[in-house]
């Protein structure tokens, strides 16, 4: 996939929570999964091993900071981390807070729903953005 055809090169990929010159953190905007974030590398890179070790570590530190933020702000039952990229081969990580009463628990969110009566949750987007900025730097 060429950069001009890449969705994550053309757009933020969600509601921007934090950005620096290397990566960005966005809220995915998945109604069934409030707090679902993506950590997206700013430049077009396909795989983790395409990055030098220091950049791999920096990207993962951001993933960990987002996980920590979601745990502190939302108190989920579990956090799922995934880096798939089969549809959009641009390096990004999904950081998904999971709750026992969400539509898919305990299955992956991309599986068939197992709970049609999921409880809606509110997310304080400003609090998430502030905490991520606190952990990753302003």
């Amino acid at each position: 996939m060429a950069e001009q055809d890449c969705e994550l090169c053309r757009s933020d990929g969600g509601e921007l929570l934090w950005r620096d010159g290397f990566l960005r953190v966005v809220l995915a905007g998945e109604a069934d999964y409030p707090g679902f974030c993506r950590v997206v590398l700013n430049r077009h890179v396909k795989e983790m091993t395409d990055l030098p070790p220091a950049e791999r570590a920096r990207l993962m530190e951001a993933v960990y900071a987002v996980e920590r933020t979601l745990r502190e702000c939302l108190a989920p039952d579990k956090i799922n981390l995934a880096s798939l990229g089969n549809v959009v081969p641009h390096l990004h990580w999904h950081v998904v807070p999971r709750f026992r009463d969400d539509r898919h628990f305990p299955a992956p969110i991309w599986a068939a729903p197992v709970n049609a009566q999921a409880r809606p949750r509110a997310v304080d987007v400003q609090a998430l953005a502030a905490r991520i900025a606190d952990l990753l730097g302003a």
Side-chain angles (χ1 to χ4, degrees):
M1 172 181 288
E3 288 181 40
Q4 66 270 19
D5 298 325
C6 175
E7 175 184 338
L8 293 177
C9 287
R10 292 190 320 264
S11 74
D12 286 334
E15 181 182 344
L16 187 64
L17 298 177
W18 185 86
R19 174 194 300 270
D20 69 6
F22 181 64
L23 61 88
R24 61 192 178 268
V25 178
V26 299
L27 198 58
E30 297 285 338
D32 289 330
Y33 299 95
F36 177 161
C37 291
R38 291 186 190 103
V39 178
V40 184
L41 195 69
N42 287 335
R43 70 181 190 274
H44 189 80
V45 172
K46 187 175 174 183
E47 307 293 353
M48 287 292 289
T49 53
D50 292 337
L51 296 175
E55 289 185 349
R56 279 182 272 188
R58 172 121 166 59
L59 180 58
M60 291 312 299
E61 285 302 319
V63 170
Y64 304 146
V66 172
E67 176 185 304
R68 180 176 173 184
T69 297
L70 294 174
R71 291 182 71 198
E72 290 174 0
C73 293
L74 302 178
D77 294 304
K78 182 71 176 94
I79 295 282
N80 289 173
L81 301 177
S83 179
L84 305 171
N86 296 331
V87 175
V88 181
H90 179 122
L91 194 52
H92 65 286
W93 283 84
H94 301 269
V95 186
V96 188
R98 299 298 306 277
F99 298 89
R100 292 187 188 286
D101 61 352
D102 74 36
R103 289 191 66 210
H104 291 89
F105 198 89
I109 65 169
W110 296 283
V114 294
N115 179 8
Q117 302 299 322
R119 183 174 64 107
R121 285 185 168 74
V123 172
D124 184 341
V125 175
Q126 290 179 333
L128 290 179
R131 183 62 176 141
I132 290 167
D134 182 48
L135 292 173
L136 294 176

